[in-house]
Amino acid sequence: MTSYAIRSRREPPASSRWLAQQFPHRAWLIADLRGRISRAPAAIRPCGPEPDRFGQAMERTLALDLCGAPPYLQLIKQLPAAGMRRLLTTAGYAPIADTADGPWGKTTDHIPGARLFTVGSLLPYLDRAVYELRSANPDEARKAIQAVLRDRRAITAYATAARAARPAFAAFWASYMSGFHSALRGYGPVTASLSLLGGLRIVDFLAGTTIVEYKTGHFDEAHHLDALVEQALAYALLAPGSGHPVTAVALYLARYHVLARYPLDTFLARLAGQPIDSAEAGSRFATLVQAEQPAR
């Protein structure tokens, strides 16, 4: 997941140009991913009616399945207390301590996928609502969200969109449960939506010490895979400086039934064509990314 504005392809930002100069050998990784795709079962054909939102819903559904503590909690807390409780209990979480604002934890790993998708597909809508209300104070934002939740037309629209995405969800979930669920769990405890550089970059998942980038889209063109490699590379460089040790990078191309995991040292050295001081490279890259942000 990327939290910065998409820039013109004619003029890539300085941080992207620096990555291209320092890590120019991407062909090996693109070739490896293409080889894995060619050896995997046939790609999943169904698509959600809104591909981008469907991808976001699937990412959040996997997070609800994988995370021991509720993911996206700051977002979910925007709901009224009763709505927050209902959403979290639907996803299999319960309060750990008997306090009004105490921590929640997962009580079972046997929540049906369709039930998790009901929650996961709501979260992108909530995220969008919170984004649009970012200039409002917290109380005003909560009142606006509560008004939407009482709007029958809004509820009907959400239910219709979620129902239309069910066939695609069923195909992706079946693939995920065929072994990828266990593999991701095996990397270690999972954190979703990991913020780097104060939110300038957002990692889909950190599983143990493995960065995981999750994609549901098509990768028909080489530049699609090149963009994915750059995204994962950026996260791998920035995570340690944000206090998250990383030992590996994993790319989960769900539509193609591919989960490719690379040790970090190998990943960086192969892309650079030589051994890399990851701390120094990460610090340099972070400086470039921060310099690109508009003054506030």
Side-chain angles (χ1 to χ4, degrees), residues 30 36 60 63 74 77 79 106 112 130 159 191 263 267 278 283 294:
I30 292 173
R36 292 171 186 257
R60 284 147 180 79
Q74 290 305 310
K77 283 183 176 179
L79 293 169
K106 186 174 284 295
V130 170
T191 300
F267 182 77
S278 58
S283 177

Side-chain angles (χ1 to χ4, degrees), residues 202-277:
I202 305 292
V203 179
D204 289 345
F205 303 108
L206 181 66
T209 56
T210 298
I211 282 175
V212 181
E213 186 61 19
Y214 175 75
K215 298 294 185 185
T216 59
H218 294 86
F219 286 88
D220 300 324
E221 305 292 338
H223 69 85
H224 295 152
L225 287 172
D226 185 72
L228 172 63
V229 171
E230 179 169 316
Q231 190 176 7
L233 174 59
Y235 297 159
L237 291 173
L238 294 175
S242 296
H244 305 289
V246 172
T247 60
V249 174
L251 305 175
Y252 183 10
L253 310 185
R255 183 171 295 277
Y256 301 98
H257 318 280
V258 167
L259 177 61
R261 185 172 182 265
Y262 307 93
L264 181 64
D265 290 345
T266 301
F267 182 77
L268 295 178
R270 291 289 300 272
L271 290 173
Q274 60 183 347
I276 284 290
D277 183 331

Side-chain angles (χ1 to χ4, degrees), residues 111-129:
I111 301 295
R115 185 169 153 186
L116 293 175
F117 185 68
T118 299
V119 177
S121 59
L122 172 63
L123 293 178
Y125 290 93
L126 180 58
D127 194 19
R128 183 64 185 177

